[in-house]
Every structure is written in C-alpha cells, then in structure tokens.
Amino acid sequence: MFKKLIERLYFKQVGNLALYDQFTGCLNRNWYERFAKDERGFVTVCDVNGLKATNDTLGHAEGDRLILSVASILQKNFPKGKVCRYGGDEFYLFTKEDPTLELKRLDNKSFSFGTCEIVGNVATCVECADNRMYSMKKGLKVAR
C-alpha cells in the first residue's frame, strides 16, 4: 500500500516522461531502477528475435516495427502485468502469476523469453530469467 502511494506521488511529481518509454509506451529503465525492487510474483525477460538481421536487411524502420510489435503483444496479453522496456530490444514483464504457459500459447517466434519467480533480490531473479531466455534463444538457433 505504501509503495503504491510513493509511486503515485512520484508519477505526479516528475510526470510520465520519467517513467515511460516514449517509443513503446511501456515502463522504462528508470521505473525499473526506482520501483522494481519491490515487485513480487514473477519476472520474465523478453528479447526480440532477429532484430539485427531485420535492421541490416530491411532497415531500421522495420526493426522499429518489430520492437513495437513485441511491446504490443506483451501489453495486450498481460494487461495486469507491468511491461518495462529495459533497453533496445529487451523487455521485462512483471506478473503476479507465472506467465510461461500464456507465452508458450502465443507460440510467437518474434521474441524469446525466460521466467523466474521473484524470491529475494529482483536483480538476481532478472539475471536468472535472462539466462533462461538466452537458453531459449540458443535453442531456436540450433533448430534452424
């Protein structure tokens, strides 16, 4: 309850620009660094697949569309979650329930993901989810 009050006061004081990514509308790295340490539930790290190749072959405008597509998928399918664009093509999804089954159900090849239950330090759990995401990404490259 107190955390929510602090977040609300902070939003009023500095405005949405400080906590939201202007490109995707997702929460941003500043939000993560200030507020994510208090999150509970699950954290999922998502990384856009093939962004470099898309940028190199089809151009950055198409790469931007890919980033926007992933942001939209996460926001649409997890309206109660918090979607944070940490940087570039990396997103963090904070949810109360494990999102793994829903993410697999999407059968979306535009991003890889890894999920970890938040137990203790959020940054350590993000690292765990990141490692799981890279394992998934590696598995996709082997399958090609």
Side-chain angles (χ1 to χ4, degrees):
M1 177 82 158
F2 184 69
K3 177 189 165 268
K4 293 284 184 200
L5 178 62
I6 296 298
E7 273 184 325
R8 228 177 277 133
L9 290 171
Y10 189 82
F11 287 147
K12 284 182 182 180
Q13 190 172 24
V14 298
N16 287 341
L17 292 177
L19 300 173
Y20 286 89
D21 176 58
Q22 298 306 294
F23 181 61
T24 62
C26 297
L27 293 164
N28 64 18
R29 187 179 197 147
N30 190 34
W31 173 86
Y32 172 80
E33 290 172 353
R34 292 183 181 274
F35 298 110
K37 64 184 173 289
D38 297 322
E39 290 296 314
R40 296 293 171 253
F42 294 83
V43 60
T44 301
V45 174
C46 300
D47 187 76
V48 177
N49 290 333
L51 182 63
K52 181 176 178 0
T54 299
N55 284 339
D56 290 349
T57 59
L58 302 174
H60 287 272
E62 197 60 37
D64 286 350
R65 279 191 276 284
L66 192 54
I67 290 169
L68 287 171
S69 172
V70 171
S72 177
I73 288 167
L74 294 173
Q75 290 169 323
K76 178 182 166 195
N77 288 283
F78 300 96
K80 292 183 180 179
K82 293 180 180 174
V83 180
C84 172
R85 182 178 180 208
Y86 187 74
D89 65 339
E90 190 167 338
F91 294 88
Y92 295 169
L93 170 65
F94 292 89
T95 54
K96 298 297 179 198
E97 306 293 325
D98 187 346
T100 303
L101 289 176
E102 179 67 15
L103 288 165
K104 285 181 180 178
R105 187 194 64 76
L106 291 172
D107 193 29
N108 186 314
K109 301 298 182 211
S110 60
F111 63 90
S112 295
F113 69 90
T115 299
C116 187
E117 185 173 6
I118 299 172
V119 178
N121 184 302
V122 170
T124 302
C125 297
V126 166
E127 188 177 326
C128 167
D130 195 51
N131 289 334
R132 291 178 180 175
M133 181 273 301
Y134 275 109
S135 292
M136 180 185 200
K137 197 176 264 295
K138 190 176 184 181
L140 288 175
K141 288 182 182 177
V142 170
R144 287 184 188 164

